Amino acid sequence: MKEKRIKKIIIVGGGTAGYMAAAALTKVLSKQNCEVKLIESEQIGTVGVGEATIPQIQLYNKLLGLDEDDFVRRTKATFKLAIQFKDWDKIGHSYYHAFGDVGKDMEGVQFYHYWLKMRQLGKAGDIDDYTLTSTACNQQKFMRSIDAGNSPLSNIAYAFHFDAGLYAIYLRELAEKSGLIRLEGKVIETQLNEQGFVQSVQLENGDIHAADFFIDCSGFRGLLIEQALKTGYDDWTHWLPCDSAVTVPCESAGEPWPFTRSTAQKAGWQWRIPLQHRIGNGHVYSSKFMSDEEAKQILLDNLDGKPLGEPRIIRFTTGKRKKFWNKNVLALGLSAGFMEPLESTSIHLVQAALSKLFTFFPTLSFDQVDIDEYNRQSSFEWERIRDFLIVHYHTTKRDDSPFWDYCRTMDIPPELQQKIAQFKKNGRVARIDSEMFNELSWFEVMYGQGLHPESYHALVDNFPEDLLERRLESIRNVMINSVDYMPTHQEFINQHCKSE
Ligand code: FAD
């Protein structure tokens, strides 16, 4: 067995994906006597965006043993409790996709079903009133969980907004401390062996670097997975029609919000990601429906502060590689595919891929059964996230532009049709196996998008209405009192993790 161990790994690319892989691999393989090398080209640079995350990133941070305050300080990060979707269902309407619990489940039935019944009867407030993180967002409050028994303060779900460039530097330092060999240079050629496996890569200066296993983190170009191995790409543009983004940071405007804002525009949407030192902004749009000039103007017209630099355009094709792992090459990050940043899932997909890689970590025999299973699980994960993104577009009521007309009337995947039909009927969400977004996320987004179920879970009627009314009132009060107890987001940062 020992002779079959992987002894050399090369990561091509030093963006977020490359350094996430490098930090995790050097940590996990530290006792395996396995060399991990990363090759990056400063001349080519990184995509330089990707600043909003979801709570699962805490698992990755735990694996690395990060000190969270240090990480927040070094990456000039802020905390994120939700995404606010503005003008998505119709202009003038907004809702939160908030992290964590909604209300309190009773008798095995999720809280939102009780809320649906009482809302239909006109006896319940807005869903935000029963959700700790949404209430905190409305008041710009934040804190981490404390030991508070049954209180929602014991279980506060959060993620981060951080500076992508600083994040890569931070991870690079960690990885180098754990033994990463980093090389600067441009890969200009890839050599394959007789079985079609990648044997080595050649740099512009003529040096050749060989390895047993390669991780392609070269971004959209997919240097190894596509250019060398011709793996193929599933194009999802017909479901996720945005193919461009124009981005520009701007000066901060007041205290940072503890949430990302996504505002729907005429042919796409605009993000607003508050950091400690600036706000990250971008306008994601479909070039079929809008010119670059118009997209740029919309972005600049909707900034909260003075732009810091010139707007930059990034092109992409939504979709994924036909195989994420092909022979001895694993694609990570943008080289694996891209589904657009609407729900901040790309960095999570890097982390999820690394976790699966550790589960199916290969030997030199590269067992095809493991590779096939890795690809099956990854495709499932991507397709379910894809459907979650599509639902935001497809369920809109907007009819003010050809883009929204297209989205509203486009065909959607059958699994999503089924999910929407079931939700409309009785509010149930059938989470497919262990798909990443849970029932609450689907509920918040579908309801927020204006899909209001005809009915609710049958067991809700076990409770008399007056009892439900009292329970809802008590939950609402618990949320008010809990959020009263929380410091403001800015106060929390000042106290624990303010950057220089
Ligand atoms: P890149 O950053 O492009 O890095 C590629 C690396 O490969 C670079 O170091 C480059 O120098 C190197 N390279 C390329 N060719 C060669 C060569 N020939 N030789 C040597 N080196 C080479 N994700 C989120 O989770 N949240 C978000 O909010 C979010 N927003 C996004 C917004 C937009 C508009 C886009 C496009 C993406 C967004 N993402 C987001 C995705 C996120 O940016 C990426 O998942 C993440 O940055 C990983 O990128 P990467 O490392 O794969 O690629």
Side-chain angles (χ1 to χ4, degrees), residues 70-111:
D70 182 52
F71 155 71
V72 170
R73 219 175 279 125
R74 292 278 311 278
T75 59
K76 300 190 191 287
T78 62
F79 296 91
K80 172 179 172 186
L81 295 172
I83 304 177
Q84 185 189 48
F85 289 95
K86 187 169 171 282
D87 300 338
W88 275 85
D89 169 27
K90 49 188 184 222
I91 293 175
H93 173 260
S94 76
Y95 67 92
Y96 286 114
H97 173 197
F99 301 144
D101 291 336
V102 174
K104 200 161 178 43
D105 299 348
M106 291 184 275
E107 308 278 326
V109 177
Q110 281 175 310
F111 170 83

Side-chain angles (χ1 to χ4, degrees), residues 421-453:
Q422 192 175 17
F423 184 72
K424 272 187 178 162
K425 205 76 208 145
N426 53 35
R428 281 199 182 84
V429 174
R431 186 177 184 181
I432 307 178
D433 296 329
S434 53
E435 71 174 304
M436 200 200 66
F437 286 106
N438 66 16
E439 290 88 345
L440 282 180
S441 287
W442 279 96
F443 159 71
E444 288 177 284
V445 169
M446 289 201 279
Y447 196 89
Q449 285 291 135
L451 288 182
H452 294 179

Side-chain angles (χ1 to χ4, degrees), residues 20-38:
M20 283 181 79
L25 283 165
T26 48
K27 173 96 185 176
V28 171
L29 299 177
S30 60
K31 295 191 181 69
Q32 285 259 340
N33 200 17
C34 174
E35 178 188 279
V36 182
K37 205 181 260 179
L38 182 146

Side-chain angles (χ1 to χ4, degrees), residues 144-205:
R144 298 190 188 111
S145 304
I146 52 169
D147 193 358
N150 272 338
S151 157
L153 294 176
S154 301
N155 187 20
I156 304 174
Y158 62 90
F160 310 94
H161 304 117
F162 52 60
D163 181 312
L166 296 177
Y167 186 54
I169 293 170
Y170 185 72
L171 292 180
R172 174 178 158 187
E173 274 181 31
L174 284 179
E176 284 185 326
K177 267 191 212 145
S178 305
L180 175 74
I181 302 167
R182 176 191 169 267
L183 297 176
E184 162 63 33
K186 187 169 164 187
V187 173
I188 51 158
E189 226 178 278
T190 309
Q191 289 83 29
L192 306 184
N193 69 14
E194 307 90 72
Q195 288 85 41
F197 281 54
V198 174
Q199 197 169 287
S200 53
V201 289
Q202 186 175 346
L203 305 191
E204 213 167 26
N205 66 5

Side-chain angles (χ1 to χ4, degrees), residues 13-14 16-17 41 44-45 47 49-50 52 185 187 217-218 221 334 338 341 346-347:
T16 303
S41 159
I44 294 176
V47 73
V49 282
V187 173
C217 297
S218 63
R221 50 179 62 74
L334 298 173
F338 186 51
S346 295
I347 291 171

